[in-house]
Amino acid sequence: MDFLDKLNPAQRKAVTAADGPVLVVAGPGSGKTRVLTQRIAYLIASEGVRPWQIIAVTFTNKAAKEMDHRVKAMLNDQTTEGIMLGTFHSICARILRRETEHLPLEPNFVIFDSDDQERIVKSIIKELNLNDKLYRAASIHGAISRAKNELIGPDDYPINTYRDEVVKRVYAEYQKRLIASNAVDFDDLLVYTAKLLEDVPSVRDKYAQRFRHVLVDEFQDTNLAQYALVRHLASYYKNIFCVGDPDQSVYAWRGADWRNVHRFEQDFPDSQVILLEQNYRSHQNILDTAMSVIDKAKNRRKKKLFSDRGAGDKIFFYESRDDYGEAAFVVDTIAQLVLSRQFEPGDCAVMYRTNAMSRLIEEAFLQARLPYRLVGAQRFYGRREVKDAIAFIRLVHNPADEASLGRIINVPPRGIGDKTLTTLHLVARQNGITPAAVLLDLARGAESPFYKSFTGRAALPLADFGGMLANWRAAAPTSTTIELFDRILKDINYKEFITEDDTEESADRWENVQELKRLALEFSNRTLDEFLENIALVADQDTITDTNAPTLLTLHAAKGLEFGAVFIVGLDDGIIPHSRSFDEPEQMEEERRLFYVGITRAKDKLYLLRAIQRGGRGMSEETYPSRFLEDLPAELLVGKTRTGRPTSSFSSSRNSYGSSSTSDTKWTLPSPLKSAPVAQRTNLFRAGTRIKHQLWGEGIVLDSRMQDGDEIVDVVFESVGIKRLAASLANLTII
């Protein structure tokens, strides 16, 4: 039991808690995994609990393996044999295979993956003669999945609109197909298990009496089905041990319900609540910044994060003229942090609200010839919707491009199946021409000699597509790239196609298309050749190693990770928080929690960035500072704003940003720092100091250190970017 000596008082209290329900509210970086694993070891080694009497559930295989490894490191393998430790889905699958006599399944049931599920829904939509453009398979399946997360079966699915009626019909048939195939989907694993424990008392009692202790990781991310499951498993002994933090609940769009923490306290009124507030990850200034944001959240249990790592550097706030400057600052600063040996490349991370925002940052890294790695999403030019849009333009530019034709000939779906496509290629080969040439001729309808080579059902959509392609090609010579881009998207109703299911993922897809459109706008006075060449050159460099490189990721993907230096970009209202949350209080609360999660990923340095204008060159879209910036104490920040206002008065500056001009504004520090006399300290310049250079003008000190008896200063200048200077030679003046 030596491991108990390494715990802080709150951790030790949680690990050694008496029997009964326990809720551990674990702040970020507070050692929740340590508490969970040592709780298991403590129960076995000190309380005499048998391994098979313990069940511990988490959300990812990685987390489950880490927990298993740590428990075995404290106890030997034989001592831990029999613990049921794994993800919710894996544990439910094990239980269901043992209890199929109570289910419409055989023990050898299969688990359908996402593609299988969508394929079934698509076939049902077709058989019900529904419009597959109006009722897309992904959207319908998403509605079914959300219902399952709330334990709503097809018979109980509520009908408020005709669309709801369609979903209910498809849902009922979908479940019949799964059962007929002796299959379940991922949601069924949870639903079947929860309902089994609810409806069959003998089964519930068997498992509830077997598992004396139920432990749950990341409790704030559970949905209603998962909460019902663990509540039933703990119904006999009431020894349920949940670790989580409602302040880090950011997956509502996946079905997670932070209110399960409140349900826990209602269902187990005698529960012990233990706060883990000591943070082992971050410096205190970072934690104080995070708390200033999350303390404004509603309906939460207050806690105060503290660290023994010292105050650390202040938070660096940077406000660029546009989003290109924002991306350049990030890449330049990371380069300086690495060159000065403060961090390894892999210690740095850039976080943003939506995947579309990675495009400019990726390009800035590529232009600087610096590697990076992208987490949680495909690279910008590898995303489906981006590749679709590019394929349309490539096909217009070069009809012989069969790869692009094959990609988009049935996007959005227009009834051109694999058989028709095979016939199209066969006809083209027989006549010694390209498939696109056949399509363009088919635009003439029955007058085309190729028309009779296809059935009437196949010829019509081919002719329609050929007509659109002919019109686009006719318009291309007199259209700018952006005009051609807009026309294609409008003609094919692409926005409706990718956003019809009205989810956050679909909105992200459309934002990616808009980001590509902004790039096209920059080529308004250049040729289509140049536009496509630019894209090809960037995409061809998409061979970045996954080793020791800065990480680019969304704030959602950042949860559970930590980095030495964190850059959070896009701190503009409408991005962080996202505009979709403006009229939805619950969503706004989640946006606040998401910003808090991003801040608390930083260990040593935190950079907060925004752009005065956003949307790319060629567009002038004024932005407002994020309303969350109003919550940050000015004394914790260094950096610059364009107005010279203290950073604590963002609310008033937000009102003025929309009307002021950017052409004659002066960049100043929010509160200039005065340098101390040289005799009092070694360094004359500190991070955040505003200086002036005779040649390059005003700048901001990023970093300063002594080297070979001279002070080496890294300065970001508005005119030339980041420069490294020897203070004895540079003749810098503190403003």
Side-chain angles (χ1 to χ4, degrees):
M1 302 300 290
D2 293 343
F3 57 80
L4 292 178
D5 298 334
K6 299 179 181 179
L7 300 175
N8 66 42
Q11 291 174 331
R12 188 183 182 102
K13 181 179 179 181
V15 169
T16 61
D19 285 356
V22 178
L23 175 63
V24 180
V25 181
S30 61
K32 70 175 183 62
T33 303
R34 171 186 287 187
V35 166
L36 266 171
T37 54
Q38 295 197 8
R39 172 69 172 176
I40 295 172
Y42 174 79
L43 291 173
I44 295 172
S46 181
E47 297 297 300
V49 179
R50 301 298 186 187
W52 57 86
Q53 296 176 312
I54 297 173
I55 182 171
V57 291
T58 186
F59 278 84
T60 66
N61 289 317
K62 180 181 178 182
K65 289 178 181 178
E66 175 67 16
M67 289 171 60
D68 184 60
H69 174 75
R70 291 196 188 189
V71 171
K72 288 179 178 177
M74 287 182 281
L75 307 171
N76 62 57
D77 289 0
Q78 186 174 3
T79 305
T80 61
E81 186 176 351
I83 297 176
M84 188 173 280
L85 192 160
T87 65
F88 275 96
H89 291 95
S90 65
I91 286 177
C92 286
R94 289 157 67 181
I95 292 175
L96 292 179
R97 292 195 191 281
R98 297 172 182 174
E99 306 297 338
T100 50
E101 63 180 288
H102 303 286
L103 303 168
L105 299 168
E106 297 297 324
N108 63 340
F109 65 78
V110 295
I111 302 171
F112 278 176
D113 63 19
S114 300
D115 289 340
D116 297 326
Q117 297 163 28
E118 194 166 320
R119 194 176 299 113
I120 294 174
V121 173
K122 191 176 293 185
S123 68
I124 295 171
I125 290 172
K126 184 177 181 180
E127 290 183 17
L128 293 177
N129 293 317
L130 297 169
N131 186 334
D132 60 0
K133 295 180 182 178
L134 187 59
Y135 303 105
R136 290 180 53 229
S139 174
I140 298 298
H141 183 263
I144 293 171
S145 179
R146 288 190 292 274
K148 289 185 177 183
N149 286 336
E150 297 294 321
L151 295 175
I152 299 173
D155 293 339
D156 301 319
Y157 192 86
I159 298 177
N160 297 310
T161 65
Y162 179 70
R163 181 179 179 78
D164 293 337
E165 184 177 327
V166 169
V167 172
K168 182 169 184 170
R169 290 165 60 196
V170 175
Y171 188 1
E173 182 61 26
Y174 173 72
Q175 285 305 111
K176 290 179 182 177
R177 299 278 183 94
L178 288 175
I179 293 171
S181 302
N182 191 33
V184 297
D185 63 17
F186 296 125
D187 297 314
D188 283 335
L189 292 171
L190 304 175
V191 172
Y192 273 131
T193 308
K195 287 190 171 294
L196 178 69
L197 298 178
E198 173 77 29
D199 299 338
V200 186
S202 61
V203 175
R204 179 178 64 246
D205 292 345
K206 177 171 67 174
Y207 288 98
Q209 291 178 29
R210 170 186 167 179
F211 297 122
R212 285 184 55 190
H213 289 271
V214 178
L215 298 91
V216 186
D217 188 19
E218 301 287 7
F219 184 59
Q220 77 282 346
D221 291 336
T222 54
N223 59 34
L224 192 60
Q226 289 162 329
Y227 176 70
L229 172 67
V230 296
R231 181 169 54 84
H232 287 312
L233 289 174
S235 60
Y236 188 81
Y237 290 104
K238 311 294 185 185
N239 293 331
I240 181 169
F241 187 92
C242 296
V243 180
D245 183 5
D247 291 342
Q248 297 184 72
S249 180
V250 295
Y251 294 133
W253 49 282
R254 292 183 184 172
D257 192 343
W258 62 273
R259 290 168 296 189
N260 282 344
V261 175
H262 297 294
R263 292 188 178 104
F264 178 93
E265 294 183 271
Q266 292 173 353
D267 292 339
F268 301 98
D270 58 338
S271 62
Q272 301 178 63
V273 179
I274 301 170
L275 302 183
L276 299 187
E277 298 174 298
Q278 182 170 356
N279 179 286
Y280 292 91
R281 174 187 301 153
S282 308
H283 288 294
Q284 192 63 47
N285 281 341
I286 293 172
L287 298 180
D288 289 346
T289 301
M291 295 309 297
S292 71
V293 172
I294 202 62
D295 278 345
K296 301 295 191 301
K298 301 174 183 177
N299 303 316
R300 61 178 291 270
R301 183 184 297 277
K302 297 285 186 181
K303 57 180 179 294
K304 177 64 176 176
L305 300 179
F306 65 94
S307 172
D308 289 339
R309 296 194 61 212
D313 293 340
K314 291 189 176 183
I315 312 309
F316 199 98
F317 174 75
Y318 183 78
E319 185 178 56
S320 64
R321 289 190 184 278
D322 57 24
D323 39 8
Y324 282 85
E326 181 182 59
F329 176 87
V330 167
V331 175
D332 287 347
T333 305
I334 289 177
Q336 294 300 323
L337 292 174
V338 173
L339 286 172
S340 62
R341 298 185 178 179
Q342 296 182 60
F343 296 97
E344 288 292 313
D347 293 332
C348 303
V350 188
M351 301 177 187
Y352 34 80
R353 177 61 180 83
T354 62
N355 282 314
M357 296 186 70
S358 76
R359 199 262 296 181
L360 288 181
I361 300 168
E362 289 185 69
E363 291 188 359
F365 272 104
L366 291 169
Q367 289 168 9
R369 301 185 179 224
L370 295 174
Y372 66 93
R373 59 180 178 179
L374 199 63
V375 172
Q378 290 178 302
R379 300 185 187 280
F380 180 81
Y381 292 105
R383 293 166 188 157
R384 188 196 74 185
E385 57 276 6
V386 174
K387 291 175 73 70
D388 285 349
I390 292 172
F392 275 105
I393 296 174
R394 281 175 49 181
L395 186 64
V396 173
H397 181 63
N398 175 23
D401 185 346
E402 291 191 18
S404 292
L405 176 64
R407 179 177 184 87
I408 49 82
I409 192 171
N410 202 40
V411 175
R414 51 179 60 92
I416 301 176
D418 291 340
K419 185 177 180 181
T420 300
L421 192 57
T422 300
T423 304
L424 174 64
H425 281 273
L426 179 62
V427 171
R429 284 198 301 272
Q430 289 173 343
N431 290 273
I433 57 177
T434 66
V438 176
L439 286 171
L440 291 169
D441 196 79
L442 283 172
R444 298 189 293 137
E447 296 179 15
S448 170
F450 307 122
Y451 199 86
K452 293 183 179 179
S453 300
F454 303 88
T455 64
R457 185 175 181 180
L460 285 174
L462 288 174
D464 287 343
F465 185 76
M468 285 194 293
L469 180 58
N471 290 335
W472 297 333
R473 283 187 51 75
T478 58
S479 300
T480 64
T481 300
I482 192 66
E483 289 170 344
L484 182 62
F485 188 97
D486 279 338
R487 176 167 181 170
I488 292 172
L489 295 185
K490 181 180 179 182
D491 286 351
I492 64 175
N493 294 318
Y494 195 67
K495 181 178 182 180
E496 290 76 7
F497 170 60
I498 64 172
T499 63
E500 186 273 333
D501 53 353
D502 195 29
T503 62
E504 179 149 345
E505 292 92 334
S506 67
D508 282 351
R509 289 194 291 270
W510 181 243
E511 286 184 18
N512 288 334
V513 175
Q514 293 300 97
E515 184 65 18
L516 183 64
K517 178 179 175 180
R518 285 190 278 271
L519 177 63
L521 185 63
E522 296 178 29
F523 286 78
S524 294
N525 298 319
R526 299 162 72 180
T527 66
L528 193 57
D529 267 326
E530 291 174 295
F531 173 69
L532 292 172
E533 181 180 320
N534 178 78
I535 289 174
L537 289 175
V538 171
D540 285 344
Q541 297 180 55
D542 197 14
T543 55
I544 308 300
T545 65
D546 288 332
T547 58
N548 199 22
T551 301
L552 280 57
L553 70 171
T554 64
L555 288 165
H556 280 104
K559 188 167 176 290
L561 304 176
E562 60 180 38
F563 302 91
V566 167
F567 297 75
I568 301 179
V569 301
L571 279 164
D572 312 322
D573 242 32
I575 298 179
I576 303 173
H578 200 284
S579 57
R580 290 193 295 269
S581 67
F582 284 177
D583 298 323
E584 298 291 340
E586 281 290 329
Q587 290 185 29
M588 182 61 74
E589 289 292 290
E590 180 153 323
E591 293 291 308
R592 180 178 292 279
R593 296 194 295 268
L594 190 60
F595 184 34
Y596 167 78
V597 165
I599 292 172
T600 55
R601 301 309 94 192
K603 296 162 64 176
D604 303 305
K605 284 184 179 289
L606 175 64
Y607 298 81
L608 305 178
L609 298 91
R610 69 172 300 269
I612 297 166
Q613 290 187 1
R614 195 172 291 278
R617 294 168 185 150
M619 293 183 67
S620 178
E621 183 179 341
E622 201 86 13
T623 65
Y624 302 120
S626 168
R627 63 194 65 193
F628 295 153
L629 290 171
E630 302 169 18
D631 303 326
L632 306 185
E635 64 271 15
L636 294 179
L637 303 179
V638 293
K640 63 177 181 178
T641 69
R642 71 166 192 179
T643 62
R645 288 185 178 89
T647 49
S648 59
S649 60
F650 279 109
S651 55
S652 58
S653 66
R654 223 176 49 205
N655 295 331
S656 67
Y657 269 45
S659 58
S660 59
S661 170
T662 62
S663 59
D664 57 355
T665 53
K666 185 177 181 181
W667 293 80
T668 60
L669 276 173
S671 50
L673 300 175
K674 301 297 184 181
S675 62
V678 176
Q680 293 183 17
R681 59 186 176 87
T682 306
N683 288 23
L684 180 63
F685 302 97
R686 293 185 297 175
T689 303
R690 180 179 165 215
I691 57 88
K692 187 173 183 178
H693 185 272
Q694 289 181 337
L695 178 62
W696 296 319
E698 294 182 10
I700 302 292
V701 175
L702 293 176
D703 186 48
S704 173
R705 63 205 167 280
M706 298 304 297
Q707 182 176 314
D708 298 327
D710 200 352
E711 185 174 3
I712 306 299
V713 187
D714 295 331
V715 182
V716 58
F717 293 97
E718 183 64 25
S719 58
V720 293
I722 294 178
K723 294 290 183 180
R724 175 168 294 172
L725 308 168
S728 63
L729 302 174
N731 194 22
L732 301 176
T733 303
I734 296 177
I735 301 175

